[in-house]
Amino acid sequence: MRNSQILGAALAASLCGCGGALGTPPLSGAPSAAARTALPPASNQKIYVASYDNSTVTTYTTGGTATTPTITAGLDEPIGVAVDANGKIYVANYGSNDITTYLPDGTQTTPTISSGVSGPYGIAVDKNGKVYVANYAGGTVTTYAPDGSQSTPTITGFAHPTSVAVDSRGKIYVTQDPNGSSGGNVTTYKTDGTPTRPTITTDVNLPASVAVGRDGKIYVTMDGGSTGYMRTYRSNGKEMKPTIPAYGGFFGYIALARSGKIYITDSGGYVTTYRRNGQQVDPTIAGLDYPEGIAVH
């Protein structure tokens, strides 16, 4: 998710020992890039949250209760997290320029991906196990086979790509933050990396992440302005309701659950939850140390 403004804030927080939750959690009051085969029942799904400042991936039930695993091995300033169809966990480590992988119980496994990785932010895994990485520093989206070997396409020419998502048909969605101060867009690509429609620029200001629902709706978090927002678009790129303001600071990444709930990380140290109509619901997970990527499986 992160643009340079947010990354700078995180680095400052880590240097001064700051971070964590700010203020009082919102009243309990809705989408992601999860895999699609052999999925657990919606009630048994877990939420995986990558915390940048303390290099940890923590796990919660969809009710917000802490559960296993807690992952620290091999992590170095993690930003993106994704889970494949079999529950294998992929983490994009900004600090070490690699992707580390874990079994469902949190044990580190293979592959570790470093070829072509340059300042990774976002990560997604499609229904066939193909891995997509948004390289913020490198200005590319690189792809990998399930065994970690580099694959096609490699999409270039980005100005700071912050996240990547893949829909059920293999269409690729990328957010980019061009200069760290304003603007940005969501661009889309065919499975071979060829640009396609839509390109979304309406009300896009420092986009942090993108997620696509099964119905084709596109959800984008924005870091621009005095606070963050999540905006919603139709499959053709036309903006629609709801628009959801961030609570604790700036929104980060989005995870879409099969229950219809949307889970969003917040730089104030929260994960907040919404229905697709924008209504805030349980759970609110508080006290996180600069949460970034989020996945539901």
Side-chain angles (χ1 to χ4, degrees):
M1 119 200 147
R2 302 168 154 290
N3 57 48
S4 57
Q5 171 188 7
I6 300 305
L7 179 57
L11 292 172
S14 65
L15 289 173
C16 71
C18 305
L22 303 175
T24 303
L27 296 175
S28 339
S32 162
R36 291 171 172 75
T37 58
L39 288 172
S43 60
N44 294 336
Q45 288 191 305
K46 293 181 178 182
I47 305 168
Y48 302 82
V49 183
S51 292
Y52 178 88
D53 276 4
N54 64 3
S55 292
T56 302
V57 171
T58 49
T59 310
Y60 302 86
T61 68
T62 52
T65 302
T67 186
T68 56
T70 297
I71 302 172
T72 57
L75 300 184
D76 188 355
E77 298 178 346
I79 296 183
V81 60
V83 184
D84 74 11
N86 298 312
K88 191 172 185 178
I89 304 160
Y90 297 75
V91 184
N93 295 290
Y94 184 84
S96 54
N97 276 322
D98 61 18
I99 310 302
T100 47
T101 58
Y102 303 84
L103 299 176
D105 66 0
T107 303
Q108 190 168 355
T109 187
T110 55
T112 295
I113 302 170
S114 57
S115 175
V117 178
S118 179
Y121 269 27
I123 186 169
V125 184
D126 71 14
K127 62 184 178 182
N128 299 313
K130 192 172 185 178
V131 182
Y132 302 75
V133 179
N135 296 290
Y136 184 88
T140 61
V141 170
T142 47
T143 59
Y144 303 86
D147 66 0
S149 59
Q150 196 160 354
S151 183
T152 55
T154 296
I155 308 174
T156 62
F158 295 108
H160 304 147
T162 54
S163 75
V164 59
V166 184
D167 70 16
S168 59
R169 296 183 178 181
K171 190 174 183 178
I172 305 163
Y173 301 74
V174 182
T175 54
Q176 62 176 329
D177 155 20
N179 56 29
S181 61
S182 64
N185 56 46
V186 181
T187 50
T188 57
Y189 304 85
K190 298 178 182 179
T191 55
D192 64 359
T194 304
T196 188
R197 296 179 181 178
T199 294
I200 302 174
T201 57
T202 303
D203 289 330
V204 176
N205 192 9
L206 302 185
S209 71
V210 60
V212 185
R214 294 185 177 186
D215 57 2
K217 290 180 182 176
I218 304 164
Y219 302 82
V220 185
T221 53
M222 316 284 179
D223 287 340
S226 59
T227 188
Y229 289 88
M230 188 201 77
R231 300 192 187 278
T232 309
Y233 300 85
R234 301 188 187 280
S235 59
N236 62 3
K238 183 178 180 180
E239 189 174 355
M240 59 180 295
K241 293 183 178 180
T243 294
I244 300 172
Y247 172 76
F250 295 95
F251 271 153
Y253 285 87
I254 313 166
L256 308 181
R258 288 185 293 123
S259 65
K261 288 183 177 180
I262 304 172
Y263 299 90
I264 310 178
T265 58
D266 188 300
S267 65
Y270 300 102
V271 172
T272 48
T273 310
Y274 304 87
R275 299 192 190 280
R276 299 295 176 95
N277 63 4
Q279 176 190 5
Q280 191 175 344
V281 295
D282 287 328
T284 294
I285 303 171
L288 298 168
D289 196 2
Y290 219 100
E292 290 284 7
I294 185 169
V296 177
H297 178 78

